[in-house]
Amino acid sequence: MQGPRHPKSPVQGPLISRATRRSALGLLLGAPLLSACAGVQQSLSQFSSPFSSSAPPAQPAGPPQQATTAGTGGVKVALILPLSAAGNAGLAAQSMRNAAEMALAEFQNPNIQLLIKDDNGSPQGAQAGAQQAVDEGAEIILGPLFAQSVPAVAQVARTRNISVIAFSTDSSIAGRGVYLLSFLPESDVNRIIEYSAGIGKRSVAVLVPDNAYGNVVEATVKAAVPRRGGRIVAFEKYGADRATPARSVAQQLGSADALFIADDGDAVVAVADAMTAAGANLRNIQMLGTGLWDNPRVYASPALQGGLYAAPDPAGFRAFSGRYRTKYGAEPIRTATLAYDAVALVAALARTQGTTRFSSDVLTNPSGFAGIDGLFRFRADGTNERGLAVMKVTTGGGVAVAGSPKSFGA
């Protein structure tokens, strides 16, 4: 499967050594927190969406892998991944493990020891791995990947009053010491609505899928549009029948100056085609989308040319991918950067923040941190906010029209 946010080209060799140091250390060096304190790409929508990673893999998992460690530092950090899960989930987990170990190798003299636990793709396995890790002295837990396993891990972590940085994007499981380091649809929606309002597109028609992803997007867009002084002139959800909602929106498109469709590559192309079949001229309206638009099917669609979507600046992933290929001889999955950033973050905090290194006050610092995919910060409710670029759809791929922010506002 193609990843929706895939690299277009490798970073040239002379830049890698400098980029390596910056990416490992930049999690704190670029943020006021430190200065104030002295092979195959898997789909992003499959592993970073709350709407598929909440379910276990359909195929039977293999035998659990033995627990291992990486690094020899004094600060113990658990990493829980479905390493023996079947199919793409196991492949994703191995890529994320590689990225985590790469972060350790690239961070200069990290005082970290990773306690790597295989959860076998199940809540029971995740809970057992978490219990073993905390018994071995883990001060914070990174993972798990599947949303259904996060509460089981959180239950163990809360008995020891330690935090969890999970990789699911199901916002309903965040909070009470559980922080999500993932690509949340809320950030995509807020960024693209903010940008479109800034270029005068304030009358928005909306089409979203009738599923959990669509529900999250619906709540966010209905808050974001009026907050930016705009109005929603048409709103429809669609399931298997796209034609009827498309006709309804097409009939009201004359009073809109933007059309927002939130879905992945194949689906968004099908919805755009349904709009065209319903008589809508999409060339006369600004198309808007989320980071799931970063997909070859979208770039090849005539109806979506010139469309705008919010996504991380691709330069970070390109540089990361080049180093990963050099080290492992394969392509990383798109969400491997989450594991890299999580390990680099805890290594930086262990170096700079003393005994409060993984406290909620440190993790939720409003200045945030700089990672592979740009700025991010954890909110008190456990969700995150990302500093995203705005990309334009072209036949050659996504082209940035607005860069990611250098700092967060209030």
Side-chain angles (χ1 to χ4, degrees):
M1 262 185 300
Q2 288 286 339
R5 299 175 185 174
H6 59 290
K8 309 299 187 301
S9 61
V11 172
Q12 294 181 352
L15 297 179
I16 290 177
S17 62
R18 297 195 300 273
T20 295
R21 291 192 294 271
R22 283 199 301 272
S23 58
L25 296 173
L27 281 145
L28 287 176
L29 287 180
L33 174 61
L34 180 59
S35 59
C37 299
V40 173
Q41 298 259 359
Q42 307 307 326
S43 171
L44 178 65
S45 61
Q46 182 172 7
F47 294 116
S48 183
S49 163
F51 321 109
S52 53
S53 64
S54 58
Q59 306 119 301
Q65 294 187 12
Q66 291 294 321
T68 59
T69 62
T72 59
V75 178
K76 293 183 178 180
V77 174
L79 176 64
I80 300 177
L81 292 169
L83 294 164
S84 60
N88 288 337
L91 295 175
Q94 185 58 54
S95 186
M96 295 178 77
R97 173 182 177 162
N98 289 346
E101 294 183 356
M102 191 169 112
L104 272 187
E106 292 184 350
F107 198 97
Q108 296 174 353
N109 303 314
N111 187 28
I112 292 292
Q113 183 181 41
L114 285 180
L115 310 178
I116 302 171
K117 310 296 182 183
D118 173 24
D119 67 23
N120 203 228
S122 73
Q124 296 81 6
Q127 187 171 46
Q131 187 64 60
Q132 186 181 48
V134 297
D135 288 345
E136 293 170 3
E139 298 183 27
I140 191 170
I141 297 173
L142 310 181
L145 176 60
F146 290 128
Q148 65 162 9
S149 296
V150 176
V153 170
Q155 183 179 0
V156 174
R158 286 168 184 148
T159 64
R160 303 295 181 94
N161 196 30
I162 65 176
S163 296
V164 176
I165 298 178
F167 303 127
S168 167
T169 58
D170 185 348
S171 297
S172 69
I173 59 176
R176 295 184 59 209
V178 175
Y179 302 95
L180 302 182
L181 180 58
S182 45
F183 300 109
L184 299 180
E186 294 93 328
S187 286
D188 291 9
V189 175
N190 285 322
R191 175 64 165 131
I192 197 61
I193 294 301
E194 175 187 30
Y195 180 83
S196 63
I199 60 173
K201 308 300 183 183
R202 298 178 183 272
S203 299
V204 187
V206 180
L207 276 161
V208 299
D210 189 8
N211 57 22
Y213 180 83
N215 293 340
V216 172
V217 171
E218 176 183 5
T220 309
V221 75
K222 285 184 174 179
V225 170
R227 186 169 62 243
R228 296 295 174 181
R231 64 191 182 102
I232 295 176
V233 299
F235 181 92
E236 291 288 342
K237 285 186 169 181
Y238 57 84
D241 172 24
R242 299 184 178 101
T244 302
R247 280 195 299 270
S248 176
V249 172
Q251 291 168 1
Q252 304 172 73
L253 212 56
S255 57
D257 50 29
L259 173 60
F260 178 67
I261 306 175
D263 216 330
D264 62 18
D266 290 341
V268 75
V269 170
V271 173
D273 290 345
M275 289 291 297
T276 300
N281 184 351
L282 300 185
R283 295 180 182 274
N284 291 339
I285 196 164
Q286 179 61 63
M287 302 293 292
L288 304 174
T290 68
L292 296 183
W293 279 33
D294 187 1
N295 184 290
R297 288 292 308 278
V298 172
Y299 303 139
S301 169
L304 296 173
Q305 295 303 303
L308 302 174
Y309 63 91
D313 187 324
F317 185 68
R318 283 199 297 265
F320 167 81
S321 296
R323 304 197 309 277
Y324 187 102
R325 285 192 299 270
T326 298
K327 187 173 181 67
Y328 297 109
E331 293 288 339
I333 67 159
R334 182 59 185 86
T335 51
T337 57
L338 303 181
Y340 184 102
D341 281 353
V343 171
L345 173 61
V346 296
L349 294 178
R351 173 175 295 174
T352 62
Q353 301 304 304
T355 58
T356 63
R357 49 190 167 241
F358 306 137
S359 68
S360 60
D361 285 346
V362 170
L363 290 174
T364 60
N365 185 284
S367 297
F369 313 98
I372 294 291
D373 293 300
L375 291 177
F376 66 91
R377 62 180 173 184
F378 296 117
R379 298 185 181 278
D381 64 2
T383 61
N384 72 61
E385 179 182 358
R386 286 185 175 272
L388 301 173
V390 175
M391 310 294 291
K392 180 172 73 173
V393 174
T394 75
T395 55
V399 175
V401 297
S404 54
K406 303 303 181 185
S407 63
F408 285 113

